[in-house]
Amino acid sequence: MITTDILIIGAGPTGLFAVFEAGLLKLKCHIIDALAQPGGQCTELYPKKPIYDIPGFPEVLAGDLVNNLMKQIEPFQPGFTLGERAETIDKLDDGTFIVTTNKGTKHHTKIVAIAGGLGSFEPRKPTIDGLEKYEDKGLAYMIKDPEDYRGKKVVIAGGGDSALDWSIFLADVASEVTLVHRREEFRGALDSVEKVEELVDQDKIRLVTPAEILDINGEGAVESVLLQHNDEAKRMEVIECDAFIPLFGLAPKLGPIADWGLEIEKNAIKVDNTLDYQTNIPGIYAIGDVNTYPGKLKLILCGFHEATLMCQSAYQRIFPDKRYVMKYTTVGGIDGFDGSRKEAEKAVVKKIGNKQNV
Amino acid sequence: MSDIKITIIDREGQRHEVDAPTDMNMNIMEVCKAYDLPVQAVCGGMAMCATCQCYIISDHDLGERNDDEEAMLWEASFVKDNSRLGCQIPITEDLEGLVIELAPEE
């Protein structure tokens, strides 16, 4: 069982920044995210797109913002449960919570902060009958650990950055990589497209376009996929493989959180005030794009503000008898849980020039 | 420049006739959101999520899909010949009387 002070659901910018603000209050955080890596929409949808309304950054790429946030929270050593979706929540008699993921990982926490954006990003699944029976048995919608594919025959489907990037990466790990796309054009970073072309020329990737996977076959696990070439003849081909990885992007779903008894309004979690962004269930907060209240603006910078106020309230809930006085980081510095300390350099000048103190 | 009238059919089949300004650099997705119609627009209008997919019901000529739109629609579900991404269709006076229907959510 993982134990923490604040369990944050959602590893987007708001969730990540909440770790920092909690850390200043010496509260430990653990983050759950359905995606295999932190960053939420920023990482998954538009890592190379510039954002222009983050204070202090005239322009920052979404991916760089996430990298910076990860660096900023490093001293506070958050835990991560990635690639798993928060499924159920149980409130214990002492007011704490147990949150369990779809993979059965249990988290015991004093506070739950839902920072799930528009919900958990679920992978878009291809329309293949009986798909579910191969899930985690050779069929995966995201790659958590590329080592799982070492020496294996892998078929990747998709035409975006993920499909390109993973094809490139697995070309050196898997024994065979076949990249299948329904179109001849790919939508991804130019250098990735060029790299794939290069690897195709070197016979390290087999590229099949335009084509699509129609079926999966295998006894208990993926053994082959049925591919249809989208040419005039609609030629069929069976590709033997150990793994099939369709990377068709993501679709947002509020998911199981919608059944937690929280007040929901238009697919968002209603918070009763803008004092601390607490939901109708005491101890559960909703911050960032996932919440709604009068005047709500879905902006990263608003999520940062909400995360800050949420942490102050969480502190008071955990330590009702303690009074915390907010300190500026310029004054108080940062004490990492790893023993690190950051603080402004101090200098004491007793004498300036030749003038003596009298 | 003035407002135009467009009709948006929601996922329950209800028709909403709305005024859309032609001078605010808006697109169909933004008009839907402005009228609180259930369009998520996860990516904010970058043709990267298909949550603003709609079907063009009237016979307006919206021109060809751009590359980003075309690529996204190849990956989306419930795509029909008349599918478009609302975020890629700017509101212009030519769209007076446009009728669209929101595609089902994935």
Side-chain angles (χ1 to χ4, degrees):
Chain A
M1 175 103 72
I2 293 162
T3 56
T4 188
D5 293 319
I6 303 181
L7 182 70
I8 298 166
I9 298 171
T14 295
L16 295 178
F17 190 65
V19 174
F20 180 82
E21 287 296 326
L24 294 181
L25 303 172
K26 305 209 182 310
L27 300 176
K28 190 92 180 141
C29 291
H30 189 93
I31 304 185
I32 300 178
D33 200 292
L35 297 175
Q37 70 286 313
Q41 277 165 262
C42 286
T43 305
E44 207 51 43
L45 284 180
Y46 47 89
K48 303 289 183 199
K49 292 272 181 185
I51 305 174
Y52 301 104
D53 61 350
I54 305 294
F57 289 92
E59 180 179 337
V60 60
L61 298 182
D64 290 345
L65 175 67
V66 170
N67 292 339
N68 285 345
L69 284 163
M70 288 296 286
K71 195 173 172 198
Q72 192 170 14
I73 64 175
E74 224 173 57
F76 299 120
Q77 300 179 311
F80 287 93
T81 301
L82 297 173
E84 298 184 29
R85 187 184 60 215
E87 194 86 7
T88 60
I89 189 164
D90 295 299
K91 192 168 191 173
L92 306 183
D93 290 342
D94 63 358
T96 61
F97 301 90
I98 302 274
V99 174
T100 308
T101 68
N102 58 328
K103 301 271 170 79
T105 312
K106 289 190 182 296
H107 307 76
H108 182 213
T109 184
K110 299 180 179 101
I111 300 289
V112 174
I114 302 171
L118 289 160
S120 60
F121 275 76
E122 303 285 321
R124 282 202 180 92
K125 300 181 181 181
T127 45
I128 295 175
D129 287 338
L131 199 67
E132 290 73 21
K133 67 179 178 189
Y134 294 106
E135 286 174 356
D136 294 329
K137 290 168 186 146
L139 170 65
Y141 308 110
M142 62 176 76
I143 294 174
K144 284 177 82 172
D145 182 2
E147 282 302 312
D148 292 344
Y149 301 96
R150 183 161 294 279
K152 294 187 175 167
K153 295 176 184 173
V154 179
V155 174
I156 293 176
D161 277 315
S162 295
L164 293 166
D165 292 347
W166 281 116
S167 296
I168 295 166
F169 193 91
L170 292 182
D172 285 331
V173 176
S175 64
E176 275 180 37
V177 174
T178 306
L179 174 59
V180 180
H181 181 35
R182 288 182 280 189
R183 304 179 75 211
E184 284 180 342
E185 301 81 21
F186 284 82
R187 183 167 74 157
L190 188 60
D191 55 343
S192 304
V193 177
E194 286 170 355
K195 182 74 184 163
V196 166
E197 279 175 345
E198 208 177 287
L199 291 167
V200 169
D201 289 344
Q202 294 168 12
D203 286 332
K204 287 190 169 177
I205 293 176
R206 182 188 170 209
L207 181 63
V208 190
T209 62
E212 58 190 300
I213 304 295
L214 296 187
D215 207 357
I216 306 172
N217 297 300
E219 289 296 321
V222 175
E223 289 172 15
S224 67
V225 290
L226 177 67
L227 175 141
Q228 178 182 271
H229 292 265
N230 285 338
D231 49 17
E232 278 188 19
K234 299 280 178 204
R235 188 167 47 91
M236 297 292 198
E237 181 186 344
V238 173
I239 303 179
E240 283 184 18
C241 59
D242 306 299
F244 172 44
I245 310 168
L247 298 171
F248 292 159
L250 302 157
K253 287 189 174 47
L254 199 49
I257 290 174
D259 303 322
W260 286 7
L262 299 163
E263 218 177 324
I264 307 279
E265 189 179 278
K266 287 181 189 162
N267 250 355
I269 299 169
K270 214 171 156 184
V271 288
D272 57 355
N273 57 61
T274 51
L275 183 73
D276 58 6
Y277 308 98
Q278 194 154 195
T279 66
N280 58 313
I281 302 177
I284 304 182
Y285 297 79
I287 52 175
D289 284 2
V290 79
N291 75 11
T292 185
Y293 53 85
K296 171 71 185 177
L297 276 183
K298 291 186 179 185
L299 292 174
I300 292 173
L301 103 118
C302 298
F304 290 165
H305 164 79
E306 292 169 16
T308 308
L309 296 194
M310 177 279 291
C311 287
Q312 298 285 328
S313 175
Y315 181 89
Q316 285 305 320
R317 188 175 164 81
I318 295 171
F319 304 110
D321 301 327
K322 284 191 189 173
R323 174 147 177 81
Y324 180 81
V325 180
M326 192 208 76
K327 284 181 190 160
Y328 298 114
T329 53
T330 40
V331 177
I334 296 173
D335 287 307
F337 295 157
D338 53 0
S340 65
R341 167 142 187 91
K342 283 184 187 174
E343 62 182 326
E345 211 174 310
K346 291 183 176 64
V348 178
V349 177
K350 291 188 175 166
K351 193 172 82 171
I352 294 175
N354 292 322
K355 241 182 177 177
Q356 300 285 332
N357 289 333
V358 231
Chain B
M1 300 286 261
S2 58
D3 289 359
I4 58 165
K5 292 222 179 285
I6 63 175
T7 301
I8 301 160
I9 304 169
D10 66 24
R11 298 188 185 97
E12 278 72 51
Q14 199 179 334
R15 296 172 78 91
H16 305 262
E17 192 177 275
V18 303
D19 294 319
T22 58
D23 57 352
M24 289 179 67
N25 198 24
M26 287 178 93
N27 57 47
I28 284 183
M29 174 275 281
E30 289 163 339
V31 170
C32 291
K33 283 182 78 76
Y35 285 96
D36 276 340
L37 288 161
V39 170
Q40 294 200 41
V42 175
C43 74
M46 291 183 273
M48 300 187 98
C49 70
T51 54
C52 65
Q53 186 191 167
C54 58
Y55 306 125
I56 307 301
I57 306 297
S58 54
D59 56 4
H60 287 71
D61 179 12
L62 273 62
E64 295 285 303
R65 294 170 181 163
N66 65 42
D67 286 347
D68 284 342
E69 188 179 10
E70 182 77 14
M72 189 65 242
L73 287 172
W74 269 94
E75 289 177 356
S77 303
F78 310 112
V79 176
K80 300 180 184 175
D81 289 345
N82 60 344
S83 283
R84 296 297 298 254
L85 295 183
C87 68
Q88 299 301 298
I89 305 170
I91 300 291
T92 63
E93 288 176 338
D94 297 342
L95 298 189
E96 173 69 43
L98 179 78
V99 181
I100 64 161
E101 182 183 354
L102 300 183
E105 285 181 303
E106 291 186 45

